[in-house]
Amino acid sequence: MPVKVAVNGYGTIGKRIAHALLKSPDFELVGIAKYNFDYSAVLAHRLGMKIFVPRDKLEEFRKHGVEPEGSIEDLVSEAELVYDASPAGRGAKNKELYVKYKKPAIFQGGEPPEVAEVSYNTLCNFEKALGKSYVRVVSCNTTGLLRVVCSLGSNAVESVFGVIVRRASDPKEDLKGPVSSLALDSAQIPSHHALDAKAVVGDLAVETVAIVAPTTLMHVQVLKIRLRKPAGFEQVVESLESSRRVLLLDAAAGIDTTGKLVELARDAGRPRYDVYENVVLASSLSRSGVELTLVQAVHQEAIVIPENVDAAYAVLNLETDVHKVVEKTNKLLGVGELKYLITTGAK
Ligand code: NAD
């Protein structure tokens, strides 16, 4: 029997989680919570999703021809697991509802780490999330950074220094900036990404500096990683590629900007041009002794979706073997398929 799952909040992350769950034989999407009426309620309704709204919004949705299935409380009470994809900081308040109905929940990176028992990344600490009631999937940039570190093996990494060029806003967020400046993120060093990475891999020596750039497409990270022991180039490539969550892109693909990467995803038929993989430019990958340098693009809207799906298997104890979970989720979302469109060719 598929497990009944709810998605509370149907924005950038929530709609992608909901669409992933719709395709999975292991989960049944019991419904989504919408807080304001807009076109996405109509599209979700047409796709057959059940829509739950705050009690005082029932009439507003009806007026526009979308019959709500019930209230947010009804949705939570029907589900066996809730994904909280609310605006950053709201999930911690929503938790009261999940506690009231004794429902496990998966939170997003905009919440403080204390909201959950575990801050999570599949390749780093899947086992720690097994059977937990509250798990937090860390932010997009931290997910990108941790995938690299844990693909190499966190024990194999002595330290990481990362410069993150962070997209200023998602495409739909018209009013966020900066529009022309580059700005130090949160005016602090290290940026929250390093702290977040440590919330997952406690003893990781990591420092990050994040600069906010006027773009909506993707983040770009420059990572300098010091390994504990020298590793051969082939070994590094194999480690990075093994989970298929990291795509090494050869220069021959002709992609040297985030804009071209978006075009690749569109041409490959990815929904919403979602790039679930870290995209490492193979030409940037250099290794000298114990030092490894790479440049990677991270699609902020999509990168945490595989980890969100994986986390459900852990929380519900549906599958305890991380390799099987990664394989299932990769298959569900087509993660790793882009590799077969482009030969890696890394040398
Ligand atoms: P969003 O603003 O696109 O979507 C949030 C949705 O939640 C909106 O549709 C809003 O109407 C709805 N909502 C309003 N009040 C709510 C409530 N009380 N409970 C539940 N939902 C409510 O936000 P997003 O970008 O999808 O971000 C969601 C979470 O994911 C945040 O924690 C964010 O930090 C994290 N995250 C975002 C990105 C990204 O690039 N957008 C990447 C990784 C993680």
Side-chain angles (χ1 to χ4, degrees), residues 165 167 215-220 258 261-262 275 297-300:
V165 181
R167 64 91 183 92
T215 176
T216 61
L217 302 180
M218 290 187 193
H219 308 299
V220 170
T258 51
L261 199 45
V262 165
V275 183
V298 169
H299 182 199
Q300 77 281 357

Side-chain angles (χ1 to χ4, degrees), residues 160-336:
V160 184
F161 178 72
V163 176
I164 296 170
V165 181
R166 180 169 88 63
R167 64 91 183 92
S169 69
D170 291 340
K172 69 178 163 93
E173 296 172 318
D174 319 292
L175 300 178
K176 273 174 88 177
V179 173
S180 63
S181 303
L182 296 169
L184 182 62
D185 193 10
S186 319
Q188 68 174 43
I189 296 176
S191 61
H192 76 85
H193 312 97
L195 308 176
D196 239 14
K198 279 175 192 282
V200 179
V201 183
D203 53 358
L204 184 68
V206 52
E207 183 157 14
T208 51
V209 178
I211 305 293
V212 192
T215 176
T216 61
L217 302 180
M218 290 187 193
H219 308 299
V220 170
Q221 303 183 344
V222 183
L223 300 184
K224 195 155 193 79
I225 298 169
R226 200 172 167 82
L227 301 167
R228 290 194 194 279
K229 285 190 205 145
F233 194 84
E234 304 263 304
Q235 191 188 339
V236 167
V237 167
E238 203 182 302
S239 303
L240 290 178
E241 287 192 323
S242 61
S243 68
R244 298 169 76 188
R245 296 267 163 101
V246 177
L247 170 69
L248 269 165
L249 206 54
D250 189 78
I255 293 171
D256 53 5
T257 65
T258 51
K260 288 180 187 138
L261 199 45
V262 165
E263 193 70 356
L264 160 69
R266 284 176 174 150
D267 290 345
R270 281 285 173 91
R272 305 184 174 90
Y273 72 73
D274 283 350
V275 183
Y276 304 112
E277 303 87 345
N278 298 21
V279 182
V280 174
L281 300 179
S283 58
S284 75
L285 192 60
S286 70
R287 186 202 56 87
S288 149
V290 290
E291 289 211 327
L292 180 68
T293 309
L294 61 87
V295 176
Q296 64 174 356
V298 169
H299 182 199
Q300 77 281 357
E301 297 168 293
I303 196 156
V304 296
I305 306 307
E307 269 70 3
N308 268 283
V309 176
D310 301 336
Y313 288 98
V315 168
L316 298 162
N317 259 320
L318 282 184
E319 176 57 77
T320 55
D321 180 338
V322 63
H323 302 291
K324 286 192 186 153
V325 167
V326 168
E327 205 177 300
K328 263 179 192 260
T329 305
N330 284 357
K331 193 164 169 222
L332 182 75
L333 295 170
V335 177

Side-chain angles (χ1 to χ4, degrees), residues 8-9 11-13 35 85-87 90 94 108 110 167 170 172 300:
N8 190 11
T12 300
I13 300 299
Y35 286 74
S86 58
R90 207 73 64 88
N94 289 344
Q108 307 306 312
R167 64 91 183 92
D170 291 340
K172 69 178 163 93
Q300 77 281 357

Side-chain angles (χ1 to χ4, degrees), residues 9-37:
Y10 194 70
T12 300
I13 300 299
K15 69 174 77 162
R16 286 171 169 81
I17 295 173
H19 282 236
L21 297 172
L22 272 185
K23 295 193 282 183
S24 171
D26 297 329
F27 305 104
E28 179 197 335
L29 181 67
V30 289
I32 58 166
K34 276 285 297 168
Y35 286 74
N36 293 299
F37 180 82

Side-chain angles (χ1 to χ4, degrees), residues 94-165:
N94 289 344
K95 189 177 171 185
E96 289 169 22
L97 200 56
Y98 313 145
V99 171
K100 178 176 167 190
Y101 285 96
K102 298 189 172 57
K103 305 294 173 164
I106 296 172
F107 295 93
Q108 307 306 312
E111 303 308 319
E114 307 77 57
V115 79
E117 296 153 276
V118 181
S119 285
Y120 174 85
N121 177 269
T122 304
L123 303 183
C124 300
N125 66 348
F126 174 82
E127 285 77 13
K128 284 209 171 142
L130 287 170
K132 292 287 188 304
S133 298
Y134 305 112
V135 167
R136 165 182 173 259
V137 174
V138 289
S139 75
C140 42
N141 264 311
T142 312
T143 295
L145 186 150
L146 284 174
R147 278 187 188 169
V148 170
V149 169
C150 293
S151 294
L152 297 167
S154 57
N155 290 336
V157 171
E158 190 176 298
S159 62
V160 184
F161 178 72
V163 176
I164 296 170
V165 181

Side-chain angles (χ1 to χ4, degrees), residues 30-49:
V30 289
I32 58 166
K34 276 285 297 168
Y35 286 74
N36 293 299
F37 180 82
D38 63 17
Y39 77 94
S40 67
V42 178
L43 292 184
H45 196 52
R46 281 189 196 154
L47 273 175
M49 291 188 209

